[in-house]
Amino acid sequence: MSSIAIEDVADQVSREIAEDLLKQNTILTIEHDFEQREREMAAVEGWTDRGAPIFDPAVNTLTRDNSFWIKVRARGEPGIVATAAVRHYPKTCFGEIFSNSRLIYDGTKPANGHWVASSIEEVAAVRGDFGFIGGGWVRKDFRRRHLPALIMGFCQVALLQHYGLDYAFGMVHHHDAETGLAVRSYHFRHQHRGVQWYWPERGILDLWLLY
């Protein structure tokens, strides 16, 4: 029996997801200009991650080597209808990622008042190459087209293609974890409650870690 390289599987899955998006008259591109993302997202409604430092080029040094973002637009429309973004954390562990808010600050630029911490002891020693997926948003009239799941799947595959990572991870609010949405729709295998993220405008958010 011939073996199938994981890279070949990833290529096939990414093509299938792109074809599914095309069937919905949407076009997906991988982008690297986070200043452009800030400008495009400034005009949208219902983006709850507005102001998050993790993908803010004023707070972090975001390059092709450590990040990218996904832009989905509808055919015939200039604006963005869905997005998500990715950061790469090589050769580390969850304990180090959450130590001193390293998840959201790379230390190259001044912080902006947020902090994040984890009390999930059972995953602190999990080590490898990590990719964080977040900053997701889908325009209201496109949310019933399975776009969130398609975008999450594409991000996971693109992380593997770009960085050869060991773990993709993200965070969701309590309701999405309790209802099973995170595992059912986003294809993560593990979820743990115990992340706190302080937003100056919103207070402390209690989140679940997915990986």
Side-chain angles (χ1 to χ4, degrees):
M1 180 182 296
S2 60
S3 61
I4 301 175
I6 188 66
E7 294 83 1
D8 295 335
V9 175
D11 289 344
Q12 179 180 345
V13 172
S14 64
R15 285 195 299 270
E16 290 175 354
I17 293 174
E19 289 171 0
D20 285 342
L21 289 166
L22 282 172
K23 291 175 183 177
Q24 300 185 46
N25 288 318
T26 55
I27 300 171
L28 181 149
T29 56
I30 295 177
E31 309 284 342
H32 294 91
D33 186 344
F34 280 84
E35 291 183 354
Q36 176 66 25
R37 181 174 185 265
E38 290 288 308
R39 290 191 293 270
E40 294 202 34
M41 294 306 294
V44 305
E45 297 181 0
W47 186 35
T48 59
D49 283 345
R50 192 185 310 277
I54 188 168
F55 299 117
D56 185 348
V59 180
N60 290 286
T61 300
L62 304 172
T63 70
R64 289 175 177 266
D65 293 331
N66 64 21
S67 55
F68 61 85
W69 63 281
I70 301 298
K71 177 180 179 179
V72 180
R73 59 183 177 85
R75 285 186 177 182
E77 294 186 25
I80 190 169
V81 300
T83 186
V86 162
R87 284 276 302 275
H88 180 219
Y89 301 84
K91 297 179 176 60
T92 186
C93 65
F94 276 127
E96 293 170 355
I97 287 174
F98 284 100
S99 176
N100 298 316
S101 296
R102 183 190 166 203
L103 172 68
I104 56 176
Y105 300 122
D106 64 7
T108 63
K109 299 179 181 181
N112 68 350
H114 291 242
W115 59 258
V116 64
S118 169
S119 60
I120 312 170
E121 295 181 0
E122 59 264 41
V123 303
V126 175
R127 179 170 292 275
D129 268 29
F130 291 81
F132 176 78
I133 305 171
W137 172 83
V138 178
R139 202 172 75 185
K140 186 179 295 186
D141 53 325
F142 280 81
R143 289 176 189 170
R144 294 188 178 274
R145 304 188 188 190
H146 304 293
L147 277 186
L150 288 173
I151 292 171
M152 180 63 73
F154 188 90
C155 285
Q156 291 171 345
V157 173
L159 272 167
L160 180 62
Q161 293 171 314
H162 281 67
Y163 306 120
L165 81 163
D166 299 302
Y167 299 100
F169 73 105
M171 292 182 290
V172 295
H173 293 279
H174 177 72
H175 177 267
D176 291 336
E178 285 287 282
T179 59
L181 174 67
V183 174
R184 184 178 64 253
S185 297
Y186 298 158
H187 312 297
F188 289 102
R189 299 188 64 183
H190 308 279
Q191 59 180 23
H192 300 271
R193 189 176 188 178
V195 175
Q196 289 190 320
W197 187 326
Y198 173 73
W199 289 59
E201 303 85 2
R202 299 161 64 184
I204 295 178
L205 306 179
D206 290 311
L207 304 173
W208 289 62
L209 173 69
L210 315 173
Y211 73 100

Coordinates of all heavy atoms in Angstrom, one line a residue, residues 101-154:
S101 N 1.3 37.1 29.0 CA 0.5 37.5 27.8 C 1.2 37.4 26.5 O 1.0 38.2 25.6 CB -0.1 39.0 28.0 OG -0.9 39.0 29.1
R102 N 2.2 36.5 26.4 CA 2.9 36.3 25.2 C 2.0 36.0 24.0 O 2.3 36.3 22.9 CB 3.9 35.2 25.3 CG 4.8 35.0 24.1 CD 5.6 33.7 24.2 NE 6.2 33.4 22.9 CZ 6.6 32.2 22.5 NH1 6.4 31.2 23.3 NH2 7.1 32.0 21.3
L103 N 0.8 35.4 24.3 CA -0.1 35.1 23.2 C -0.5 36.4 22.4 O -0.6 36.3 21.2 CB -1.4 34.5 23.8 CG -2.6 34.3 22.8 CD1 -2.3 33.3 21.8 CD2 -3.9 34.0 23.6
I104 N -0.6 37.5 23.1 CA -1.1 38.7 22.4 C -0.1 39.8 22.2 O -0.3 40.7 21.5 CB -2.3 39.3 23.2 CG1 -2.0 39.6 24.7 CG2 -3.5 38.3 23.1 CD1 -3.1 40.3 25.4
Y105 N 1.1 39.6 22.8 CA 2.2 40.6 22.7 C 3.5 39.9 22.3 O 3.9 38.9 23.0 CB 2.4 41.4 23.9 CG 1.2 42.2 24.4 CD1 0.7 42.0 25.7 CD2 0.6 43.2 23.6 CE1 -0.4 42.7 26.1 CE2 -0.5 43.9 24.0 CZ -1.0 43.7 25.3 OH -2.1 44.4 25.7
D106 N 4.2 40.3 21.3 CA 5.5 39.7 20.9 C 6.6 40.4 21.6 O 7.8 40.0 21.4 CB 5.6 39.6 19.4 CG 5.7 40.9 18.7 OD1 5.7 42.0 19.4 OD2 5.7 40.9 17.5
G107 N 6.4 41.6 22.2 CA 7.4 42.3 22.9 C 8.2 43.3 22.1 O 9.1 44.0 22.6
T108 N 7.8 43.4 20.8 CA 8.5 44.3 19.9 C 7.9 45.8 19.9 O 8.6 46.7 19.5 CB 8.5 43.8 18.5 OG1 7.1 43.8 18.0 CG2 9.1 42.5 18.4
K109 N 6.7 45.9 20.5 CA 6.0 47.2 20.5 C 5.3 47.4 21.8 O 5.1 46.4 22.5 CB 5.1 47.3 19.3 CG 5.8 47.2 18.0 CD 4.8 47.3 16.8 CE 5.4 47.1 15.5 NZ 4.5 47.2 14.3
P110 N 4.9 48.6 22.2 CA 4.2 48.8 23.5 C 2.9 48.1 23.5 O 2.2 48.0 22.5 CB 4.0 50.3 23.5 CG 5.1 50.9 22.6 CD 5.2 49.9 21.5
A111 N 2.6 47.5 24.7 CA 1.3 46.9 24.9 C 0.2 47.9 25.0 O 0.4 49.1 25.1 CB 1.3 46.1 26.2
N112 N -1.1 47.4 24.9 CA -2.2 48.4 24.8 C -3.3 48.2 25.9 O -4.4 48.5 25.7 CB -2.9 48.4 23.4 CG -3.6 47.1 23.1 OD1 -3.5 46.1 23.9 ND2 -4.3 47.0 22.0
G113 N -2.9 47.6 27.0 CA -3.8 47.4 28.1 C -4.5 46.1 28.3 O -5.1 45.9 29.4
H114 N -4.5 45.3 27.3 CA -5.0 43.9 27.4 C -4.1 43.0 28.2 O -2.9 43.2 28.2 CB -5.3 43.3 26.0 CG -6.3 44.0 25.2 ND1 -7.5 43.3 24.8 CD2 -6.5 45.2 24.7 CE1 -8.2 44.1 24.1 NE2 -7.6 45.3 24.0
W115 N -4.6 42.0 28.8 CA -3.8 40.9 29.3 C -4.6 39.6 29.1 O -5.8 39.6 29.1 CB -3.3 41.1 30.7 CG -4.3 41.3 31.8 CD1 -4.7 42.5 32.3 CD2 -5.1 40.3 32.4 NE1 -5.6 42.3 33.3 CE2 -5.9 40.9 33.4 CE3 -5.2 38.9 32.3 CZ2 -6.8 40.2 34.2 CZ3 -6.1 38.2 33.1 CH2 -6.9 38.9 34.1
V116 N -3.9 38.5 29.0 CA -4.5 37.1 28.9 C -3.8 36.2 29.8 O -2.5 36.2 29.9 CB -4.6 36.7 27.5 CG1 -3.2 36.5 26.9 CG2 -5.4 35.4 27.3
A117 N -4.5 35.2 30.4 CA -3.9 34.2 31.3 C -4.7 33.0 31.3 O -5.9 32.9 30.9 CB -3.8 34.8 32.8
S118 N -4.0 31.9 31.6 CA -4.6 30.5 31.6 C -4.4 29.9 32.9 O -3.3 29.9 33.5 CB -4.1 29.7 30.5 OG -4.5 28.3 30.6
S119 N -5.4 29.2 33.5 CA -5.3 28.4 34.7 C -5.5 26.9 34.4 O -5.7 26.1 35.3 CB -6.3 28.8 35.7 OG -7.7 28.7 35.2
I120 N -5.3 26.5 33.1 CA -5.5 25.1 32.7 C -4.2 24.4 32.9 O -3.4 24.3 31.9 CB -6.0 25.1 31.2 CG1 -7.1 26.1 31.0 CG2 -6.5 23.7 30.9 CD1 -7.5 26.3 29.6
E121 N -4.0 23.8 34.0 CA -2.8 23.1 34.3 C -2.5 21.9 33.5 O -1.4 21.6 33.2 CB -2.7 22.8 35.8 CG -2.7 24.0 36.8 CD -2.7 23.6 38.2 OE1 -2.6 22.3 38.5 OE2 -2.7 24.5 39.1
E122 N -3.6 21.2 33.1 CA -3.4 19.9 32.4 C -2.8 20.1 31.0 O -2.4 19.1 30.4 CB -4.7 19.1 32.4 CG -5.9 19.8 31.7 CD -6.8 20.5 32.7 OE1 -6.2 21.1 33.6 OE2 -8.0 20.4 32.5
V123 N -2.9 21.3 30.4 CA -2.3 21.4 29.1 C -1.1 22.3 29.1 O -0.5 22.5 28.0 CB -3.4 22.1 28.1 CG1 -4.6 21.2 28.1 CG2 -3.7 23.5 28.5
A124 N -0.7 22.8 30.2 CA 0.5 23.8 30.3 C 1.7 23.2 29.6 O 2.5 23.9 29.0 CB 0.7 24.2 31.7
A125 N 2.0 21.9 29.8 CA 3.2 21.3 29.3 C 3.1 20.8 27.8 O 4.1 20.3 27.3 CB 3.6 20.2 30.2
V126 N 1.9 20.9 27.2 CA 1.8 20.4 25.8 C 2.7 21.3 25.0 O 2.6 22.5 24.9 CB 0.3 20.6 25.4 CG1 0.2 20.2 23.9 CG2 -0.6 19.6 26.2
R127 N 3.6 20.6 24.2 CA 4.7 21.4 23.5 C 4.7 21.0 22.0 O 4.3 19.9 21.6 CB 6.0 21.0 24.2 CG 7.3 21.6 23.5 CD 8.5 21.4 24.3 NE 8.4 22.2 25.6 CZ 8.8 23.5 25.7 NH1 9.2 24.2 24.7 NH2 8.7 24.0 26.9
G128 N 5.1 22.0 21.3 CA 5.3 21.8 19.8 C 5.2 23.1 19.1 O 5.5 24.2 19.6
D129 N 4.9 23.1 17.8 CA 4.7 24.3 17.0 C 3.2 24.5 17.0 O 2.4 23.7 16.6 CB 5.2 24.0 15.6 CG 6.6 24.4 15.3 OD1 7.4 24.4 16.3 OD2 7.0 24.8 14.2
F130 N 2.8 25.8 17.4 CA 1.4 26.1 17.6 C 1.0 27.2 16.5 O 1.8 28.0 16.2 CB 1.2 26.7 19.0 CG 1.3 25.7 20.1 CD1 2.5 25.3 20.6 CD2 0.2 25.0 20.6 CE1 2.7 24.4 21.6 CE2 0.3 24.1 21.6 CZ 1.5 23.8 22.1
G131 N -0.3 27.1 16.2 CA -0.9 28.2 15.4 C -2.2 28.6 16.0 O -3.1 27.8 16.2
F132 N -2.3 29.9 16.3 CA -3.6 30.4 16.8 C -4.5 30.9 15.7 O -4.0 31.6 14.8 CB -3.3 31.5 17.8 CG -4.5 32.2 18.4 CD1 -5.2 31.6 19.4 CD2 -5.0 33.4 17.9 CE1 -6.4 32.2 19.9 CE2 -6.1 34.0 18.4 CZ -6.8 33.4 19.4
I133 N -5.7 30.6 15.8 CA -6.7 31.1 14.8 C -7.7 31.9 15.6 O -8.3 31.5 16.6 CB -7.5 29.9 14.1 CG1 -6.4 29.0 13.5 CG2 -8.4 30.4 13.1 CD1 -7.1 27.7 12.9
G134 N -8.0 33.1 15.1 CA -8.9 34.0 15.8 C -9.3 35.2 14.9 O -9.1 35.1 13.7
G135 N -9.9 36.2 15.5 CA -10.3 37.4 14.8 C -11.3 37.1 13.8 O -11.4 37.8 12.8
G136 N -12.2 36.1 14.0 CA -13.2 35.7 13.0 C -14.4 36.6 13.0 O -14.8 37.2 14.0
W137 N -14.9 36.8 11.8 CA -16.1 37.6 11.6 C -16.7 37.1 10.3 O -16.0 36.9 9.3 CB -15.8 39.1 11.5 CG -17.0 39.9 11.2 CD1 -18.0 40.4 12.0 CD2 -17.3 40.4 9.8 NE1 -18.9 41.1 11.3 CE2 -18.5 41.2 9.9 CE3 -16.7 40.3 8.6 CZ2 -19.1 41.8 8.8 CZ3 -17.2 40.9 7.5 CH2 -18.4 41.7 7.6
V138 N -18.1 37.0 10.3 CA -18.8 36.7 9.1 C -20.0 37.6 9.0 O -20.7 37.8 10.0 CB -19.3 35.2 9.0 CG1 -20.1 35.0 7.8 CG2 -18.1 34.3 9.1
R139 N -20.2 38.3 7.8 CA -21.3 39.2 7.7 C -22.6 38.4 7.9 O -22.8 37.3 7.5 CB -21.3 39.8 6.3 CG -22.0 41.1 6.2 CD -21.8 41.8 4.8 NE -22.5 41.1 3.8 CZ -22.4 41.5 2.5 NH1 -21.6 42.4 2.1 NH2 -23.1 40.8 1.6
K140 N -23.6 39.1 8.5 CA -24.8 38.4 9.0 C -25.5 37.6 7.9 O -26.0 36.5 8.1 CB -25.8 39.5 9.5 CG -27.0 38.9 10.2 CD -27.9 40.0 10.8 CE -27.2 40.7 11.9 NZ -28.2 41.6 12.6
D141 N -25.6 38.2 6.7 CA -26.4 37.5 5.6 C -25.6 36.3 5.0 O -26.1 35.6 4.2 CB -26.8 38.5 4.5 CG -25.6 39.2 4.0 OD1 -24.7 39.6 4.7 OD2 -25.6 39.5 2.8
F142 N -24.4 36.0 5.5 CA -23.6 34.9 5.0 C -23.4 33.8 6.1 O -22.8 32.8 5.9 CB -22.2 35.4 4.5 CG -22.2 35.9 3.1 CD1 -22.6 37.2 2.9 CD2 -21.9 35.2 2.0 CE1 -22.6 37.8 1.7 CE2 -21.9 35.7 0.8 CZ -22.3 37.0 0.6
R143 N -24.0 34.0 7.3 CA -23.7 33.1 8.4 C -24.3 31.8 8.3 O -23.9 30.8 8.9 CB -24.1 33.8 9.7 CG -23.1 35.0 10.1 CD -23.5 35.7 11.3 NE -22.7 36.9 11.4 CZ -22.9 37.9 12.3 NH1 -24.0 37.8 13.1 NH2 -22.2 39.0 12.4
R144 N -25.4 31.7 7.5 CA -26.0 30.4 7.4 C -25.5 29.6 6.2 O -26.1 28.6 5.8 CB -27.6 30.6 7.2 CG -28.2 31.1 8.5 CD -29.7 31.1 8.3 NE -30.4 31.6 9.6 CZ -30.6 30.9 10.6 NH1 -30.3 29.6 10.6 NH2 -31.2 31.4 11.7
R145 N -24.4 30.0 5.7 CA -23.8 29.3 4.5 C -22.6 28.4 5.0 O -21.7 28.1 4.1 CB -23.3 30.3 3.5 CG -24.4 31.2 3.0 CD -24.0 32.0 1.8 NE -24.9 33.0 1.4 CZ -24.8 33.7 0.3 NH1 -23.8 33.5 -0.5 NH2 -25.7 34.7 0.0
H146 N -22.5 28.1 6.2 CA -21.4 27.3 6.8 C -20.0 28.0 6.6 O -19.0 27.3 6.6 CB -21.3 25.9 6.2 CG -22.6 25.2 6.3 ND1 -23.1 24.7 7.5 CD2 -23.5 24.8 5.4 CE1 -24.3 24.1 7.3 NE2 -24.6 24.1 6.0
L147 N -20.0 29.3 6.4 CA -18.7 30.0 6.2 C -17.8 29.9 7.4 O -16.6 29.7 7.3 CB -19.0 31.5 5.8 CG -19.3 31.8 4.4 CD1 -19.3 33.3 4.1 CD2 -18.2 31.1 3.5
P148 N -18.3 30.0 8.7 CA -17.4 29.9 9.8 C -16.6 28.6 9.8 O -15.4 28.6 10.0 CB -18.3 30.1 11.0 CG -19.5 30.9 10.5 CD -19.7 30.4 9.1
A149 N -17.3 27.5 9.6 CA -16.7 26.2 9.6 C -15.7 26.0 8.4 O -14.6 25.5 8.6 CB -17.7 25.1 9.5
L150 N -16.1 26.5 7.2 CA -15.2 26.5 6.1 C -13.9 27.3 6.3 O -12.8 26.8 6.0 CB -15.9 26.9 4.8 CG -17.0 26.0 4.3 CD1 -17.8 26.7 3.1 CD2 -16.4 24.7 3.8
I151 N -14.1 28.5 6.9 CA -12.9 29.3 7.1 C -12.0 28.7 8.1 O -10.8 28.7 8.0 CB -13.4 30.7 7.5 CG1 -14.1 31.4 6.3 CG2 -12.2 31.6 8.0 CD1 -14.7 32.7 6.7
M152 N -12.6 28.2 9.2 CA -11.8 27.5 10.3 C -11.0 26.4 9.7 O -9.8 26.2 9.9 CB -12.7 27.1 11.4 CG -11.9 26.4 12.5 SD -10.7 27.5 13.4 CE -11.8 28.5 14.3
G153 N -11.7 25.5 8.9 CA -11.0 24.4 8.2 C -9.9 24.8 7.3 O -8.8 24.3 7.4
F154 N -10.1 25.9 6.6 CA -9.1 26.4 5.7 C -7.9 26.9 6.5 O -6.7 26.7 6.1 CB -9.6 27.5 4.8 CG -8.7 27.9 3.7 CD1 -8.7 27.3 2.5 CD2 -7.7 28.9 3.9 CE1 -7.8 27.6 1.5 CE2 -6.8 29.3 2.9 CZ -6.9 28.6 1.7

